[in-house]
Amino acid sequence: MRLLKLLIILSLSLLFISNYGKNSFVLGEEMTTKGLHVYGRNILNENGEMIMLRGANRPGSEYCCVQYAKVFDGPSDENHIYEMRKWKMNAVRVPLNEDCWLGEHAPETEYFGAGYRKAIKDYVKMYTDNNMAVILDLHWASENGKLATQQIPMPNNGNSLIFWEDVAKSFKDNSRVLFDLYNEPYPYGNSWANPDAWQCWKNGTDCGDLGYEASGMQQMIDAIRSTGSTNIILLSGIQYATSFTMFLDYQPHDPAGQLGVALHSYDFNYCRSRGCWDTFLRPVYSLFPMVATETGQKDCLHDFLSDFIDYCDKNDIHYLAWSWLTGPCGIPSLIQDYDGTPSNFGLGFKRHLSDLAKGVKPYYTPSFEIYNDKITHWADDWSSATRVTNCTRQVFSGNYSIEWLPTATKSLHFMCWSCIKTNDHKSVEFMVNGGNNGGQDMDIDLLKLNPDQTNSIVKTFKLSSVVEGGKVLKNQWSKVTVDLTALGKDQEFDGFWLKADTSQPTMYVDDIGVKAIHEPPTPIPDSEYFDSDSSSTKLFTSLILILSIVSFILIF
């Protein structure tokens, strides 16, 4: 009997050690995705629990069927779903091709028409059987009867409606499936805030010179609801799903009351910082569930992604990164292989989801950079002065600096949408170099953006009073520190500019940033974070072995 007990203890210990070493980050508690429905601005499950959808896009099924004679790009089995689940994802977005689903404008094959539909249905079932929500989106639609092989401005007023009727019939009994009506509408030349574009978006009428009859969001909603489907419907904004400027004026009617909005947010979009999100997104996500059905960045980093999903977490916005597809991280791709090895871009996303699953607040610092070899996503370059943002003549760090020519009344201007906040930040800092002359002096003005896009000067600092040594030096770098701590609480600025009263010699600026009052503890490096052989894991394993030995002694 003692031997049997010993074997049981040792077996359990080894099993626990094995699970801890390999899969400890998949053990977090999760909620069911069954019964998803809209309640106010939130998405609830069948238990009435508020649920946040966080996951990735799984591209391929929008283009493979018309370009590569197959349905999926990469594996479509349960193993790769398991790898996504190990990242603690609970949602996936599957892009669809209208013609491949309907079998239109090309012959039927095993990957086109009925074969495509079966493959997608089986694929969706695998995800939902694994407690993952699935967002189906109409990614490529047919233009004027042509085979759907690319993104077009709006869906058509014909097969796009038939597509959604058939898709809705196929999935109306699966409450884990959401419908994203159209990937990235861009009527009227990709307008940001054009009433004609929003009219076209809603009703499919007066759409300008598209070359085909369009379908609006209202028509597609009606097509879906005609089937009896009550699945959640997501509506992408205009300008490639980035603009919601007039959404509240043109919102369609849903008899089921199950509408949300679908946002795309990348580091290269027009609206890519917190102040801009507050200005243009908050009025919408305060009333409707908002799902960032695509987000990412193309420079193989994850600073923008971390900023955006931190904002999402704080404001109950759902998000799915682009994409779970192998390839260069600049696609952007989250993974290097389908075993789930993260790219450098993917590391930030994986870490964030892992922290959330563990109940740990993901690392986030209020400090940010405005220029670090490029103008970052935090700022827009609104300069009127002559400047070169990738100069190599004088560089403090990295590969580039900003070379600019101070000219009377012309500014080196960084606009950043309420990004500088005295409650959060202690200083604006950057490096300056006087070039071949030195001695330049000018105003550094903290700015407030007016409704007419002009700027009001709120506070002025003289460059000579905030640069170390009191002077911009010839061919040398000096640090500039603009102290914000004496300005008082509750002040926000939409950026700053350097502006001279007189023309002065060429100079250089580098490493522009805004520093936080309080920095959180530095996180564990990404290279160590997911190492199952880390010292903490080894320590835990040792403790389990010690407990096993103690148990052995007590039994005998």
Side-chain angles (χ1 to χ4, degrees):
M1 179 61 71
R2 287 183 177 180
L3 179 61
L4 177 60
K5 289 181 180 180
L6 173 63
L7 290 173
I8 292 173
I9 289 172
L10 289 176
S11 297
L12 290 175
S13 299
L14 290 172
L15 178 62
F16 191 87
I17 291 168
S18 175
N19 283 339
Y20 183 84
K22 294 180 181 177
N23 299 315
S24 62
F25 52 86
V26 307
L27 300 179
E29 182 181 352
E30 64 179 59
M31 294 182 288
T32 180
T33 57
K34 188 176 181 182
L36 298 181
H37 61 283
V38 170
Y39 183 79
R41 61 179 294 266
N42 298 313
I43 295 177
L44 309 184
N45 62 16
E46 66 176 0
N47 299 326
E49 300 167 314
M50 177 179 163
I51 189 167
M52 298 305 301
L53 303 181
R54 300 184 177 105
N57 283 260
R58 186 68 184 89
S61 43
E62 75 274 34
Y63 56 79
C64 281
C65 55
V66 292
Q67 293 180 348
Y68 303 115
K70 57 183 181 179
V71 177
F72 303 106
D73 193 345
S76 57
D77 58 9
E78 201 155 8
N79 287 337
H80 91 278
I81 295 176
Y82 173 68
E83 295 301 328
M84 298 176 78
R85 297 291 288 123
K86 281 168 59 175
W87 280 43
K88 305 308 297 181
M89 297 182 186
N90 68 350
V92 66
R93 182 170 177 253
V94 179
L96 299 181
N97 184 302
E98 172 187 296
D99 283 343
C100 297
W101 180 275
L102 295 176
E104 292 284 340
H105 306 125
E108 286 262 347
T109 65
E110 68 273 14
Y111 54 83
F112 194 91
Y116 180 90
R117 292 193 296 273
K118 183 179 186 306
I120 295 296
K121 291 174 185 177
D122 291 345
Y123 193 53
V124 169
K125 186 176 187 301
M126 273 196 298
Y127 276 111
T128 58
D129 284 352
N130 280 276
N131 196 35
M132 290 186 72
V134 178
I135 300 173
L136 297 176
D137 90 279
L138 175 52
H139 215 82
W140 285 2
S142 175
E143 176 186 9
N144 201 23
K146 301 174 184 177
L147 182 64
T149 59
Q150 61 182 345
Q151 173 78 33
I152 60 175
M154 288 288 291
N156 64 73
N157 188 19
N159 282 346
S160 294
L161 299 178
I162 297 171
F163 165 87
W164 273 121
E165 284 183 14
D166 201 47
V167 170
K169 288 176 184 176
S170 299
F171 297 103
K172 67 179 183 178
D173 295 324
N174 191 338
S175 56
R176 289 183 166 99
V177 177
L178 298 80
F179 302 143
D180 183 358
L181 290 188
Y182 195 61
N183 176 45
E184 291 182 341
Y186 60 101
Y188 277 87
N190 202 23
S191 169
W192 173 256
N194 184 334
D196 292 332
W198 281 103
Q199 167 67 24
C200 172
W201 175 88
K202 178 182 179 181
N203 297 313
T205 56
D206 300 324
C207 287
D209 187 21
L210 286 180
Y212 61 94
E213 293 296 320
S215 173
M217 300 297 139
Q218 186 65 66
Q219 293 161 285
M220 291 187 287
I221 291 170
D222 293 343
I224 290 171
R225 295 306 182 219
S226 71
T227 68
S229 162
T230 58
N231 301 66
I232 295 173
I233 293 175
L234 302 178
L235 308 174
S236 294
I238 64 171
Q239 201 188 56
Y240 293 105
T242 64
S243 171
F244 292 87
T245 50
M246 299 182 182
F247 177 86
L248 297 180
D249 297 323
Y250 288 88
Q251 59 182 285
H253 171 67
D254 176 20
Q258 292 297 299
L259 292 184
V261 296
L263 166 73
H264 290 185
S265 186
Y266 290 97
D267 60 327
F268 50 82
N269 292 148
Y270 169 69
C271 193
R272 58 184 186 273
S273 62
R274 290 172 181 259
C276 190
W277 301 328
D278 281 341
T279 301
F280 292 108
L281 300 183
R282 188 180 294 277
V284 179
Y285 70 66
S286 296
L287 299 174
F288 292 87
M290 178 171 283
V291 184
T293 51
E294 291 185 21
T295 186
Q297 63 189 94
K298 291 193 172 185
D299 57 5
C300 293
L301 303 177
H302 50 75
D303 54 338
F304 167 81
L305 179 76
S306 296
D307 284 338
F308 177 66
I309 60 181
D310 176 80
Y311 182 87
C312 290
D313 289 339
K314 288 181 170 65
N315 293 284
D316 299 330
I317 299 172
H318 312 255
Y319 46 86
L320 294 89
W322 187 280
S323 62
W324 192 268
L325 186 71
T326 60
C329 50
I331 287 178
S333 177
L334 292 166
I335 52 174
Q336 301 178 50
D337 54 55
Y338 287 107
D339 291 331
T341 305
S343 65
N344 190 54
F345 161 65
L347 274 172
F349 194 62
K350 181 177 182 180
R351 178 177 188 138
H352 190 94
L353 296 184
S354 179
D355 280 343
L356 290 174
K358 295 174 183 176
V360 175
K361 184 178 180 181
Y363 175 81
Y364 181 78
T365 171
S367 295
F368 64 92
E369 295 177 311
I370 289 177
Y371 180 86
N372 59 1
D373 279 356
K374 65 176 184 178
I375 307 292
T376 71
H377 64 273
W378 276 97
D380 293 316
D381 183 1
W382 281 20
S383 303
S384 56
T386 301
R387 75 279 184 199
V388 177
T389 59
N390 60 345
C391 173
T392 57
R393 292 185 183 88
Q394 295 275 5
V395 177
F396 178 73
S397 69
N399 299 312
Y400 305 111
S401 68
I402 300 174
E403 177 187 270
W404 75 293
L405 181 64
T407 307
T409 72
K410 300 294 185 179
S411 66
L412 185 64
H413 182 185
F414 304 100
M415 200 288 290
C416 58
W417 301 96
S418 300
C419 63
I420 302 171
K421 303 180 180 183
T422 59
N423 289 357
D424 297 331
H425 301 118
K426 65 180 181 181
S427 60
V428 176
E429 300 179 4
F430 54 92
M431 304 299 297
V432 293
N433 185 308
N436 293 331
N437 294 276
Q440 295 92 338
D441 200 11
M442 61 204 64
D443 292 339
I444 303 174
D445 296 320
L446 297 178
L447 307 169
K448 197 69 180 174
L449 185 65
N450 300 317
D452 63 358
Q453 302 297 288
T454 61
N455 287 272
S456 296
I457 297 172
V458 180
K459 180 68 176 178
T460 299
F461 300 83
K462 209 67 178 176
L463 177 59
S464 57
S465 70
V466 292
V467 65
E468 60 183 349
K471 184 179 180 180
V472 176
L473 300 175
K474 174 182 176 180
N475 292 324
Q476 292 186 41
W477 289 98
S478 302
K479 187 174 183 179
V480 174
T481 303
V482 177
D483 184 9
L484 304 174
T485 59
L487 301 183
K489 297 293 185 181
D490 303 321
Q491 294 196 55
E492 298 183 0
F493 306 101
D494 296 305
F496 68 96
W497 65 34
L498 282 73
K499 183 181 286 188
D501 294 330
T502 60
S503 295
Q504 300 183 42
T506 296
M507 63 184 297
Y508 304 87
V509 180
D510 203 352
D511 287 9
I512 307 170
V514 180
K515 302 301 182 182
I517 298 172
H518 303 292
E519 288 285 4
T522 303
I524 300 169
D526 285 332
S527 60
E528 301 176 17
Y529 191 74
F530 300 106
D531 183 5
S532 61
D533 294 324
S534 66
S535 58
S536 60
T537 301
K538 291 176 180 177
L539 175 61
F540 194 87
T541 303
S542 299
L543 289 174
I544 295 298
L545 288 172
I546 291 170
L547 288 174
S548 299
I549 294 170
V550 171
S551 299
F552 174 82
I553 294 171
L554 291 175
I555 289 173
F556 287 93

